[in-house]
Amino acid sequence: MNRCVFIMFSLLLLTTTTNQSVPVGGDDNGGVNMKKCLDNEGHALLLFKAHLQDPDDTLSTWTADQHDCCKWRGVTCSTQTGHVTELYISGCGLGGEISRSLFNLTYLNFLDLSTNSFHGTIPTFIGYLTRLSYLNLDSNNLNGTIPRSLGSLTELTFLNLNFNSLSGTIPPEFGNLTNLQRLYLNSVGRCRVEKIEWLSHLSHLEELEMDGISLAKAEKWVDVILSLPKLSWLRLRGCELSQVMYPYSSSFLNSSSSSSSIESLSLQNNNLTSSMYRWLRPLTSNKLLGLDVSGNMLDGIPKYLGNLCSLEDLSIYNNSAAVKFPDFLNNLSGCTSLSLQSLYASHSQFTGSLSDEIQKFLSLESLYLSDNHLNGSISEKFWELPRLETLDVSFNNLTVPSTDHMSSLSYVKEIGLSSSQLGPCFPKWIHTLKSLTLLDISNTGISDTTPPDFWDMWPSQLEYLNLSSNNISGSVPDLSSNFASGSVIDLSSNRFYGPIPKVSSGLTSLDLSRNKFSGGVSFICQIVDGLLYFLDLSHNSFIGQLPDCLWHFKQLKVLNLGHNNLFGSLPPSIGSLIQLKVLYLYKNNFFGELPLSLKNCTSLISMNLGANKFSGNVPVWIGENLSKLYVLILRSNKFFGTIPQKLCRLANLQILDLSMNNLNGTIPSCLSNLTSMLQQGGFSQDVQLNTTYRAYEYKQETYVDHAMIEWQGDEREFVSILKLLKIIDLSSNKLTGQIPHVVTNLSDLVALNLSRNALSGEIPQKIGEMKKLLTLDLSRNNFSGGIPSSMSQMSLLNDLDLSYNNLSGRIPSSTQLQSFPPSRYVGNRGLCGPPLNKKCPGDEESESPPIIGKSEGDGEEWGWFYIGGGMGFATGFWIACGALLVNRRGRRAFFHFFDSFKDWVYVKVVVFVSSLQKDDQGRRYGAQDPSNKNNVCSFCG
């Protein structure tokens, strides 16, 4: 080779190499760093690190000992100059403020601090790093306003401020970012756009997200969007678009076509009505692939949407206006019917039937129509769709006929028919669903046995199976062969029986509750993949000990073994459940002391160990370690000793039930430290349960707000209203001493039961200040003295028992205290006055006092009042029932609401009826208490 040519070739190769930047830690392709990190920039990075919290030691390589910062994690330098050009430390768990020391990295062109916990404001100095082309501050805790200086970053092509807590106006200086291609301002906080004209300068913009930013004052925003020639992705969800008075100019009012380049458009949750279709048309063209208009108030769709020949995905779920589904399909039946692949229309107001019009949508792969008002029989044409893979028509009023057409569904992967009419026979067409991964046929009226081959039809394939709330019987031979890793199984509320031999090792959720299963529970030891977060075996006939294999379940959040015949001591491995939030072992035969390892379950919110045979002292570590508890139920066991003072540390506690044990000593005065019982409001936590099927999440989260409670003499199961209940029950023990006066400070308490103890002394004089008490039971103790006059102020009290004590004196006069039957005061020889027949010294010998203000016509007036009230009630009742009979969605919503809030309604009705009775009693006794006005509903209001 010619020597000159060789030299020129070598120089060219060297030039090419030195113009490259080195990735993190050097050149992975075998190159070497030509320049080391500059000292001042390395020092700047060390100062940046010094201001941060780094719990995972992610920046462990950032040390002064390692002089070349170009080898530090997340740092990239130019091999030509040695300047730091890129800083990438996303998702490292870092916290603190963004240090000003980064200002010294003047050659930085790439900065990614996303998915950390940075707080404080966005530093103004970032706007002076003018070489930046990429800036990502997504998913932090940044607050304050967006600095106007960011408008100086004219080289930016990418800007992401998503998911922070910013406020104020989006700076109009953003209009200077003329090279910007992607702008993400999604859920940045409480921000707004005053004038949107600046956006029209971003001619290179391809993607724009502004979810949650108020555009209420952004007049003619549609014109601005149309001026962006390259825009293909637009998300304006929750932007108050319905408040814009003039969203467009008059120039395209009569436009019949669109040159818009938008391929994906989301206008979700803007309270838009169908008047939006006038300005939507110019934004839609045959380039549009996806359209989301969910969460609005649309009473239909225009026919021009049926002519979008490229539209693949259409979302119109959570729509609050009634739409006839056949008309909806008809308006989409242009060329859109040939391109549409996914239709998301759940939780809306669709009416009518699944008509034959559906057969035109030959490309349809996914159809979500759950929670609507659809009725009638599903058209046979529906089962002929050649590409359908996902179908969810749950919670409608549909009948699923069993026809030969069902055999064509062999390619379907997900099918949800919950609350449809399938039964009474188990549907045979399920055998044809060879590709199935999700099956929900819960509450479908099936009263049959499962076919013998049902449990091995989908080898290692099913991800979700829900047969709950039917009347299905039979044994369950194998729960392992069908199911893939991470699967969910719900067989609850049926008549399955027999033992469980096998389960899948990779289950995430297993609900076998309310059946007739028997045998041991050692099968749970087969779930070894560590994915299980929900386990409910309650209300069965399981017997035996709880096996010591719970260390597999470090993700478990809900464990319900209640209402079985399990016995033995709790295994030490229960302490491995470090994520457990709900532990429900009610009504079994467990015995022995609680294992010390249970104190490791520091995430516990609700612990119900009642109706067992646990013994020993109430553990001190409950108050020391389980600080998140809001429900603690140890009732009906064999605990002894004193009530530990450490329980008073449970500031979140709302339900404390230690009744029916052998506890002695005094009531701790520190109970006044239970601050949740001192203030309004209550439990607001929930359990985050990630499921593959959203309809299942609610069922699981109700376990967090669930308890079996002794309420006014009856054992009741409360669901979804525990935040309203604040209860202390120490009854049926051997407690002695007086009631601590500080207990009366628990002003938000609704039930206090200290009955069947050996308590003595006087009832605290300030007990009447506990004005939210609905239930007060102090019976069968040794209390003496008089009934405090302050109790006449307890306007909500509807259940009182002071019987069998040593009380004396006159029962204070009030509409409350005289309304209770005499049996609530018996066993107190010294008590006198109404409602007891015993008169107090000095009482007149006359008969019962006259009723104030009663006239001869009163009886007749009250008679007509009751007749009119009864007729009104009957009329309203049948109007409501008639509406429910013809409205499937309304009927389901009503009973769902009733199941979730029946106890809340119960409490309100008890209070209201009780107040009416007391008013009537007050008239009879002449006891008028003005303080009772406007207090009847204060508990639930």
Side-chain angles (χ1 to χ4, degrees):
M1 180 183 292
N2 185 285
R3 184 175 180 182
C4 293
V5 174
F6 177 80
I7 293 173
M8 292 178 63
F9 179 81
S10 300
L11 289 173
L12 180 62
L13 179 62
L14 178 62
T15 303
T16 304
T17 303
T18 55
N19 284 331
Q20 296 177 352
S21 291
V22 179
V24 179
D27 187 350
D28 292 335
N29 296 318
V32 293
N33 292 326
M34 301 302 294
K35 291 285 187 178
K36 289 187 177 181
C37 170
L38 301 180
D39 290 341
N40 66 320
E41 295 187 0
H43 182 64
L45 289 173
L46 290 175
L47 286 176
F48 173 71
K49 176 186 176 182
H51 289 85
L52 300 180
Q53 295 87 46
D54 185 8
D56 299 327
D57 204 19
T58 306
L59 305 183
S60 59
T61 59
W62 292 31
T63 64
D65 297 336
Q66 173 57 266
H67 299 292
D68 189 0
C69 72
C70 298
K71 296 181 179 179
W72 295 353
R73 175 174 179 176
V75 179
T76 300
C77 301
S78 167
T79 59
Q80 183 175 8
T81 64
H83 287 296
V84 175
T85 57
E86 297 185 11
L87 185 57
Y88 179 80
I89 48 175
S90 174
C92 296
L94 303 175
E97 296 189 359
I98 300 174
S99 171
R100 184 176 176 81
S101 63
L102 291 185
F103 179 63
N104 293 319
L105 306 180
T106 54
Y107 285 81
L108 204 63
N109 59 55
F110 184 103
L111 178 59
D112 191 336
L113 306 179
S114 62
T115 320
N116 284 291
S117 298
F118 288 107
H119 60 263
T121 59
I122 299 175
T124 303
F125 74 80
I126 290 182
Y128 304 122
L129 301 175
T130 54
R131 286 183 170 86
L132 277 180
S133 63
Y134 184 103
L135 176 60
N136 192 348
L137 302 177
D138 178 25
S139 299
N140 281 287
N141 300 316
L142 299 169
N143 54 42
T145 59
I146 301 174
R148 294 177 179 270
S149 63
L150 294 187
S152 302
L153 303 176
T154 55
E155 298 298 319
L156 273 186
T157 61
F158 181 99
L159 176 59
N160 188 341
L161 304 180
N162 286 353
F163 301 107
N164 281 284
S165 301
L166 305 170
S167 58
T169 304
I170 303 298
E173 286 79 3
F174 275 16
N176 299 328
L177 308 179
T178 53
N179 289 308
L180 207 60
Q181 298 174 13
R182 291 172 177 81
L183 175 59
Y184 300 114
L185 302 175
N186 174 25
S187 302
V188 297
R190 299 178 63 84
C191 291
R192 63 186 181 277
V193 170
E194 296 289 347
K195 294 184 178 180
I196 202 170
E197 285 76 13
W198 58 266
L199 192 61
S200 62
H201 301 296
L202 309 185
S203 58
H204 294 283
L205 201 63
E206 298 174 7
E207 296 184 9
L208 174 62
E209 292 185 6
M210 302 180 72
D211 292 0
I213 291 178
S214 174
L215 298 181
K217 296 182 179 180
E219 304 293 340
K220 300 181 181 179
W221 67 268
V222 177
D223 297 58
V224 173
I225 296 298
L226 288 173
S227 70
L228 303 175
K230 296 183 178 181
L231 191 67
S232 62
W233 176 279
L234 178 61
R235 282 175 48 170
L236 301 177
R237 302 189 296 187
C239 293
E240 300 181 340
L241 294 180
S242 63
Q243 299 182 29
V244 183
M245 295 186 64
Y246 303 103
Y248 54 86
S249 65
S250 58
S251 60
F252 54 77
L253 270 177
N254 299 317
S255 175
S256 58
S257 62
S258 171
S259 59
S260 171
S261 58
I262 297 176
E263 297 178 5
S264 178
L265 174 61
S266 179
L267 303 173
Q268 182 181 344
N269 296 332
N270 279 291
N271 292 321
L272 296 168
T273 64
S274 292
S275 62
M276 68 168 291
Y277 292 127
R278 300 189 70 184
W279 53 257
L280 179 65
R281 187 166 190 169
L283 297 175
T284 58
S285 70
N286 277 331
K287 295 180 181 179
L288 191 66
L289 301 176
L291 175 62
D292 187 349
V293 290
S294 305
N296 289 294
M297 300 180 290
L298 308 174
D299 59 5
I301 59 170
K303 282 186 176 273
Y304 73 74
L305 288 184
N307 296 321
L308 301 177
C309 300
S310 298
L311 189 64
E312 296 177 354
D313 301 302
L314 175 61
S315 296
I316 191 171
Y317 56 86
N318 287 337
N319 185 55
S320 61
V323 178
K324 293 181 179 179
F325 192 65
D327 295 344
F328 176 83
L329 291 180
N330 185 60
N331 284 353
L332 280 179
S333 60
C335 62
T336 301
S337 64
L338 301 177
S339 63
L340 194 66
Q341 297 177 16
S342 300
L343 174 60
Y344 302 88
S346 299
H347 301 277
S348 291
Q349 306 292 319
F350 283 109
T351 62
S353 61
L354 284 176
S355 63
D356 290 351
E357 199 75 28
I358 196 71
Q359 66 181 321
K360 297 180 180 179
F361 294 80
L362 300 178
S363 297
L364 201 60
E365 297 177 2
S366 301
L367 178 61
Y368 297 89
L369 291 172
S370 64
D371 286 277
N372 279 287
H373 306 297
L374 301 174
N375 55 42
S377 181
I378 298 178
S379 168
E380 293 183 355
K381 301 294 184 182
F382 186 84
W383 310 115
E384 297 176 1
L385 294 174
R387 300 178 61 181
L388 190 67
E389 293 184 354
T390 300
L391 168 67
D392 186 3
V393 292
S394 302
F395 309 119
N396 284 284
N397 191 21
L398 294 169
T399 299
V400 183
S402 182
T403 68
D404 294 337
H405 293 81
M406 308 295 284
S407 60
S408 62
L409 294 176
S410 58
Y411 44 82
V412 170
K413 294 181 179 179
E414 301 182 4
I415 187 163
L417 300 174
S418 179
S419 298
S420 301
Q421 182 55 48
L422 280 179
C425 297
F426 201 92
K428 296 180 179 180
W429 50 263
I430 287 181
H431 293 184
T432 66
L433 306 179
K434 301 300 183 182
S435 303
L436 207 62
T437 61
L438 183 151
L439 175 63
D440 184 355
I441 52 173
S442 60
N443 190 31
T444 51
I446 300 174
S447 183
D448 197 2
T449 58
T450 52
D453 58 345
F454 177 80
W455 301 107
D456 55 7
M457 287 178 54
W458 305 280
S460 302
Q461 184 174 312
L462 279 182
E463 297 175 0
Y464 183 93
L465 174 66
N466 191 347
L467 307 181
S468 66
S469 302
N470 282 292
N471 197 25
I472 303 174
S473 60
S475 60
V476 179
D478 193 341
L479 288 178
S480 63
S481 61
N482 276 336
F483 298 94
S485 180
S487 52
V488 171
I489 300 176
D490 187 352
L491 306 182
S492 63
S493 300
N494 279 289
R495 293 190 296 120
F496 289 112
Y497 57 81
I500 303 293
K502 292 183 179 180
V503 292
S504 173
S505 62
L507 288 177
T508 59
S509 179
L510 177 62
D511 191 346
L512 304 179
S513 64
R514 300 181 186 276
N515 279 284
K516 299 180 180 180
F517 289 117
S518 58
V521 295
S522 60
F523 62 86
I524 66 174
C525 296
Q526 302 169 21
I527 309 173
V528 296
D529 289 354
L531 304 176
L532 191 71
Y533 59 79
F534 181 89
L535 178 61
D536 188 351
L537 308 180
S538 64
H539 294 274
N540 280 289
S541 299
F542 288 117
I543 194 169
Q545 295 185 326
L546 184 59
D548 193 17
C549 62
L550 303 182
W551 54 77
H552 297 308
F553 305 150
K554 288 184 171 57
Q555 300 300 319
L556 194 66
K557 291 180 172 63
V558 175
L559 175 59
N560 189 349
L561 304 176
H563 299 270
N564 279 290
N565 299 312
L566 301 172
F567 58 81
S569 58
L570 296 183
S573 60
I574 199 169
S576 301
L577 309 180
I578 55 177
Q579 298 293 329
L580 194 67
K581 293 182 180 290
V582 178
L583 177 59
Y584 194 96
L585 305 180
Y586 189 82
K587 209 167 188 180
N588 279 283
N589 294 303
F590 291 113
F591 57 75
E593 296 186 2
L594 299 183
L596 183 62
S597 62
L598 191 56
K599 72 178 184 179
N600 298 328
C601 303
T602 55
S603 297
L604 273 172
I605 294 172
S606 178
M607 184 165 71
N608 188 341
L609 310 181
N612 281 284
K613 298 176 182 178
F614 290 115
S615 59
N617 292 305
V618 175
V620 173
W621 49 258
I622 291 179
E624 292 176 335
N625 296 76
L626 308 185
S627 59
K628 297 180 181 180
L629 277 181
Y630 89 104
V631 172
L632 175 59
I633 298 177
L634 303 179
R635 70 186 304 265
S636 190
N637 277 288
K638 297 182 178 181
F639 289 108
F640 54 79
T642 60
I643 300 174
Q645 299 271 342
K646 296 293 179 65
L647 290 186
C648 301
R649 295 185 179 183
L650 301 175
N652 297 316
L653 201 65
Q654 294 184 199
I655 296 176
L656 174 61
D657 189 348
L658 305 179
S659 63
M660 302 176 68
N661 281 285
N662 295 310
L663 301 176
N664 55 39
T666 59
I667 299 174
S669 59
C670 64
L671 287 181
S672 60
N673 295 336
L674 302 178
T675 53
S676 185
M677 300 185 186
L678 291 169
Q679 55 199 13
Q680 291 186 352
F683 176 70
S684 60
Q685 302 183 60
D686 62 358
V687 173
Q688 299 299 324
L689 298 171
N690 299 316
T691 67
T692 57
Y693 197 49
R694 289 184 178 180
Y696 198 52
E697 291 179 358
Y698 174 81
K699 177 178 181 179
Q700 300 184 54
E701 290 176 357
T702 58
Y703 280 84
V704 184
D705 200 359
H706 168 272
M708 186 70 68
I709 296 172
E710 184 78 17
W711 180 261
Q712 298 185 357
D714 296 318
E715 193 173 73
R716 294 179 55 85
E717 191 170 14
F718 284 83
V719 178
S720 298
I721 68 154
L722 291 189
K723 60 185 177 182
L724 300 176
L725 296 180
K726 300 183 179 182
I727 296 171
I728 293 179
D729 190 346
L730 306 179
S731 62
S732 300
N733 280 290
K734 299 176 181 178
L735 300 176
T736 57
Q738 298 183 341
I739 301 177
H741 291 282
V742 292
V743 169
T744 61
N745 294 333
L746 302 177
S747 55
D748 224 38
L749 203 66
V750 300
L752 176 62
N753 191 346
L754 304 178
S755 65
R756 298 178 185 272
N757 279 289
L759 299 170
S760 58
E762 295 186 350
I763 300 173
Q765 292 298 312
K766 293 185 178 181
I767 197 169
E769 295 181 2
M770 304 174 74
K771 294 184 179 180
K772 292 190 177 181
L773 273 183
L774 296 175
T775 296
L776 176 62
D777 192 346
L778 305 179
S779 64
R780 299 182 185 274
N781 279 286
N782 299 314
F783 293 117
S784 58
I787 299 175
S789 58
S790 65
M791 290 184 64
S792 62
Q793 304 171 16
M794 302 173 76
S795 57
L796 296 180
L797 197 62
N798 64 77
D799 186 47
L800 172 68
D801 196 344
L802 302 178
S803 62
Y804 298 101
N805 281 286
N806 297 315
L807 300 173
S808 60
R810 181 188 298 275
I811 299 175
S813 297
S814 76
T815 55
Q816 283 72 35
L817 301 183
Q818 273 69 46
S819 67
F820 298 110
S823 61
R824 302 303 178 91
Y825 299 99
V826 299
N828 294 281
R829 294 184 179 181
L831 283 182
C832 60
L836 298 176
N837 292 325
K838 182 180 179 180
K839 297 180 180 179
C840 296
D843 284 350
E844 297 181 3
E845 297 297 327
S846 60
E847 299 296 328
S848 58
I851 299 176
I852 298 174
K854 182 170 178 66
S855 64
E856 293 182 1
D858 280 350
E860 183 177 352
E861 291 175 3
W862 279 103
W864 283 110
F865 172 79
Y866 288 125
I867 292 172
M871 293 178 64
F873 172 78
T875 302
F877 176 81
W878 284 111
I879 289 175
C881 286
L884 291 176
L885 286 173
V886 299
N887 189 329
R888 170 71 175 180
R889 170 69 179 272
R891 182 164 69 252
R892 179 181 170 270
F894 172 78
F895 286 112
H896 180 66
F897 171 83
F898 179 79
D899 288 340
S900 298
F901 293 97
K902 60 183 178 181
D903 299 308
W904 179 78
V905 174
Y906 166 79
V907 171
K908 291 196 71 172
V909 170
V910 166
V911 174
F912 181 69
V913 173
S914 177
S915 65
L916 291 180
Q917 293 173 343
K918 291 164 191 171
D919 288 344
D920 187 56
Q921 290 282 351
R923 281 190 291 269
R924 284 192 280 137
Y925 288 107
Q928 301 297 322
D929 185 1
S931 67
N932 294 333
K933 295 180 180 179
N934 301 323
N935 285 329
V936 172
C937 294
S938 63
F939 167 66
C940 296

Short mmCIF file of all heavy atoms in Angstrom, two decimals, residues 759-787:
data_model
loop_
_atom_site.label_atom_id
_atom_site.label_comp_id
_atom_site.label_asym_id
_atom_site.label_seq_id
_atom_site.Cartn_x
_atom_site.Cartn_y
_atom_site.Cartn_z
N LEU A 759 -66.24 -3.86 87.74
CA LEU A 759 -65.92 -2.45 87.84
C LEU A 759 -66.74 -1.80 88.94
O LEU A 759 -67.88 -2.20 89.22
CB LEU A 759 -66.16 -1.76 86.50
CG LEU A 759 -65.31 -2.29 85.33
CD1 LEU A 759 -65.79 -1.71 84.01
CD2 LEU A 759 -63.84 -1.97 85.55
N SER A 760 -66.19 -0.76 89.55
CA SER A 760 -66.86 -0.11 90.67
C SER A 760 -66.70 1.39 90.56
O SER A 760 -66.18 1.91 89.56
CB SER A 760 -66.26 -0.62 91.99
OG SER A 760 -64.86 -0.37 92.03
N GLY A 761 -67.13 2.09 91.61
CA GLY A 761 -67.06 3.54 91.61
C GLY A 761 -68.23 4.15 90.87
O GLY A 761 -69.19 3.47 90.48
N GLU A 762 -68.15 5.44 90.63
CA GLU A 762 -69.24 6.14 89.96
C GLU A 762 -69.01 6.20 88.46
O GLU A 762 -67.87 6.15 87.99
CB GLU A 762 -69.36 7.56 90.52
CG GLU A 762 -69.77 7.62 91.98
CD GLU A 762 -70.02 9.04 92.45
OE1 GLU A 762 -69.70 9.97 91.67
OE2 GLU A 762 -70.55 9.20 93.56
N ILE A 763 -70.10 6.30 87.74
CA ILE A 763 -70.02 6.55 86.30
C ILE A 763 -69.47 7.96 86.11
O ILE A 763 -69.94 8.90 86.75
CB ILE A 763 -71.40 6.41 85.63
CG1 ILE A 763 -71.96 5.00 85.84
CG2 ILE A 763 -71.31 6.74 84.14
CD1 ILE A 763 -73.37 4.83 85.35
N PRO A 764 -68.43 8.16 85.28
CA PRO A 764 -67.85 9.50 85.11
C PRO A 764 -68.91 10.56 84.79
O PRO A 764 -69.78 10.35 83.94
CB PRO A 764 -66.87 9.32 83.95
CG PRO A 764 -66.50 7.88 83.99
CD PRO A 764 -67.74 7.16 84.44
N GLN A 765 -68.81 11.68 85.50
CA GLN A 765 -69.81 12.73 85.35
C GLN A 765 -69.84 13.32 83.94
O GLN A 765 -70.88 13.79 83.48
CB GLN A 765 -69.54 13.86 86.37
CG GLN A 765 -69.78 13.45 87.81
CD GLN A 765 -71.23 13.06 88.05
OE1 GLN A 765 -72.16 13.77 87.65
NE2 GLN A 765 -71.43 11.91 88.70
N LYS A 766 -68.71 13.28 83.22
CA LYS A 766 -68.64 13.88 81.89
C LYS A 766 -68.95 12.88 80.78
O LYS A 766 -68.69 13.16 79.61
CB LYS A 766 -67.26 14.48 81.66
CG LYS A 766 -66.96 15.67 82.56
CD LYS A 766 -65.61 16.28 82.20
CE LYS A 766 -65.30 17.50 83.05
NZ LYS A 766 -64.00 18.11 82.68
N ILE A 767 -69.51 11.75 81.13
CA ILE A 767 -69.78 10.74 80.10
C ILE A 767 -70.75 11.26 79.04
O ILE A 767 -70.73 10.82 77.89
CB ILE A 767 -70.32 9.44 80.74
CG1 ILE A 767 -70.20 8.28 79.74
CG2 ILE A 767 -71.74 9.62 81.26
CD1 ILE A 767 -70.44 6.93 80.34
N GLY A 768 -71.55 12.24 79.40
CA GLY A 768 -72.49 12.82 78.45
C GLY A 768 -71.81 13.57 77.32
O GLY A 768 -72.44 13.90 76.32
N GLU A 769 -70.50 13.87 77.47
CA GLU A 769 -69.77 14.55 76.40
C GLU A 769 -69.44 13.61 75.24
O GLU A 769 -68.99 14.06 74.19
CB GLU A 769 -68.49 15.17 76.96
CG GLU A 769 -68.77 16.27 77.98
CD GLU A 769 -67.49 16.90 78.51
OE1 GLU A 769 -66.40 16.49 78.05
OE2 GLU A 769 -67.58 17.78 79.38
N MET A 770 -69.66 12.32 75.46
CA MET A 770 -69.45 11.35 74.37
C MET A 770 -70.74 11.31 73.54
O MET A 770 -71.48 10.33 73.52
CB MET A 770 -69.10 9.98 74.94
CG MET A 770 -67.87 10.03 75.87
SD MET A 770 -67.53 8.46 76.70
CE MET A 770 -66.87 7.50 75.34
N LYS A 771 -70.98 12.37 72.81
CA LYS A 771 -72.28 12.60 72.19
C LYS A 771 -72.53 11.75 70.96
O LYS A 771 -73.64 11.74 70.42
CB LYS A 771 -72.44 14.08 71.86
CG LYS A 771 -72.49 14.95 73.11
CD LYS A 771 -72.74 16.40 72.78
CE LYS A 771 -72.81 17.24 74.06
NZ LYS A 771 -73.05 18.66 73.75
N LYS A 772 -71.50 11.04 70.47
CA LYS A 772 -71.70 10.19 69.30
C LYS A 772 -71.98 8.74 69.68
O LYS A 772 -72.16 7.90 68.80
CB LYS A 772 -70.49 10.26 68.38
CG LYS A 772 -70.34 11.63 67.72
CD LYS A 772 -69.29 11.60 66.63
CE LYS A 772 -69.22 12.95 65.94
NZ LYS A 772 -68.22 12.96 64.85
N LEU A 773 -72.03 8.47 70.97
CA LEU A 773 -72.31 7.10 71.40
C LEU A 773 -73.68 6.66 70.93
O LEU A 773 -74.69 7.32 71.20
CB LEU A 773 -72.20 6.98 72.92
CG LEU A 773 -70.83 6.69 73.52
CD1 LEU A 773 -70.94 6.54 75.02
CD2 LEU A 773 -70.21 5.44 72.91
N LEU A 774 -73.73 5.53 70.24
CA LEU A 774 -74.99 4.87 69.91
C LEU A 774 -75.30 3.77 70.91
O LEU A 774 -76.46 3.49 71.19
CB LEU A 774 -74.91 4.27 68.51
CG LEU A 774 -74.74 5.23 67.33
CD1 LEU A 774 -74.56 4.44 66.05
CD2 LEU A 774 -75.93 6.15 67.23
N THR A 775 -74.25 3.13 71.43
CA THR A 775 -74.41 1.99 72.34
C THR A 775 -73.54 2.20 73.56
O THR A 775 -72.34 2.47 73.43
CB THR A 775 -74.00 0.68 71.63
OG1 THR A 775 -74.89 0.45 70.54
CG2 THR A 775 -74.08 -0.49 72.58
N LEU A 776 -74.16 2.05 74.73
CA LEU A 776 -73.43 2.12 76.00
C LEU A 776 -73.95 1.01 76.90
O LEU A 776 -75.12 0.99 77.25
CB LEU A 776 -73.62 3.48 76.67
CG LEU A 776 -72.99 3.64 78.06
CD1 LEU A 776 -71.48 3.46 77.99
CD2 LEU A 776 -73.34 4.99 78.66
N ASP A 777 -73.09 0.08 77.24
CA ASP A 777 -73.48 -1.05 78.10
C ASP A 777 -72.53 -1.13 79.28
O ASP A 777 -71.34 -1.47 79.13
CB ASP A 777 -73.44 -2.35 77.29
CG ASP A 777 -74.10 -3.51 78.03
OD1 ASP A 777 -74.35 -3.38 79.25
OD2 ASP A 777 -74.37 -4.54 77.39
N LEU A 778 -73.04 -0.79 80.46
CA LEU A 778 -72.28 -0.85 81.71
C LEU A 778 -72.90 -1.85 82.68
O LEU A 778 -72.62 -1.82 83.88
CB LEU A 778 -72.22 0.53 82.37
CG LEU A 778 -71.68 1.68 81.52
CD1 LEU A 778 -71.71 2.99 82.30
CD2 LEU A 778 -70.27 1.38 81.03
N SER A 779 -73.74 -2.74 82.15
CA SER A 779 -74.51 -3.63 83.01
C SER A 779 -73.64 -4.67 83.71
O SER A 779 -72.52 -4.95 83.29
CB SER A 779 -75.58 -4.34 82.17
OG SER A 779 -74.99 -5.17 81.19
N ARG A 780 -74.20 -5.19 84.82
CA ARG A 780 -73.60 -6.29 85.58
C ARG A 780 -72.18 -5.97 86.04
O ARG A 780 -71.22 -6.67 85.75
CB ARG A 780 -73.66 -7.58 84.76
CG ARG A 780 -75.08 -7.99 84.43
CD ARG A 780 -75.18 -9.28 83.68
NE ARG A 780 -76.57 -9.54 83.29
CZ ARG A 780 -77.48 -10.15 84.06
NH1 ARG A 780 -77.15 -10.56 85.28
NH2 ARG A 780 -78.72 -10.33 83.63
N ASN A 781 -72.07 -4.82 86.71
CA ASN A 781 -70.85 -4.42 87.38
C ASN A 781 -71.21 -4.01 88.81
O ASN A 781 -72.27 -4.43 89.33
CB ASN A 781 -70.19 -3.26 86.62
CG ASN A 781 -69.37 -3.74 85.43
OD1 ASN A 781 -68.30 -4.28 85.59
ND2 ASN A 781 -69.91 -3.53 84.23
N ASN A 782 -70.38 -3.22 89.45
CA ASN A 782 -70.65 -2.76 90.81
C ASN A 782 -70.65 -1.24 90.88
O ASN A 782 -70.21 -0.66 91.89
CB ASN A 782 -69.59 -3.33 91.77
CG ASN A 782 -69.61 -4.84 91.81
OD1 ASN A 782 -70.68 -5.46 91.91
ND2 ASN A 782 -68.43 -5.46 91.72
N PHE A 783 -71.13 -0.58 89.83
CA PHE A 783 -71.16 0.87 89.83
C PHE A 783 -72.14 1.38 90.89
O PHE A 783 -73.20 0.77 91.12
CB PHE A 783 -71.56 1.41 88.46
CG PHE A 783 -70.53 1.15 87.40
CD1 PHE A 783 -70.82 0.35 86.30
CD2 PHE A 783 -69.26 1.69 87.50
CE1 PHE A 783 -69.87 0.10 85.33
CE2 PHE A 783 -68.30 1.45 86.53
CZ PHE A 783 -68.60 0.65 85.45
N SER A 784 -71.79 2.51 91.49
CA SER A 784 -72.63 3.10 92.52
C SER A 784 -72.84 4.58 92.21
O SER A 784 -72.34 5.10 91.21
CB SER A 784 -71.96 2.94 93.89
OG SER A 784 -70.67 3.54 93.88
N GLY A 785 -73.61 5.25 93.08
CA GLY A 785 -73.90 6.65 92.86
C GLY A 785 -75.03 6.84 91.87
O GLY A 785 -75.74 5.89 91.49
N GLY A 786 -75.22 8.07 91.43
CA GLY A 786 -76.32 8.36 90.53
C GLY A 786 -75.91 8.30 89.08
O GLY A 786 -74.73 8.26 88.73
N ILE A 787 -76.93 8.29 88.23
CA ILE A 787 -76.69 8.38 86.79
C ILE A 787 -76.36 9.83 86.47
O ILE A 787 -77.14 10.73 86.80
CB ILE A 787 -77.93 7.92 86.00
CG1 ILE A 787 -78.26 6.46 86.32
CG2 ILE A 787 -77.71 8.11 84.50
CD1 ILE A 787 -79.53 5.96 85.66
#
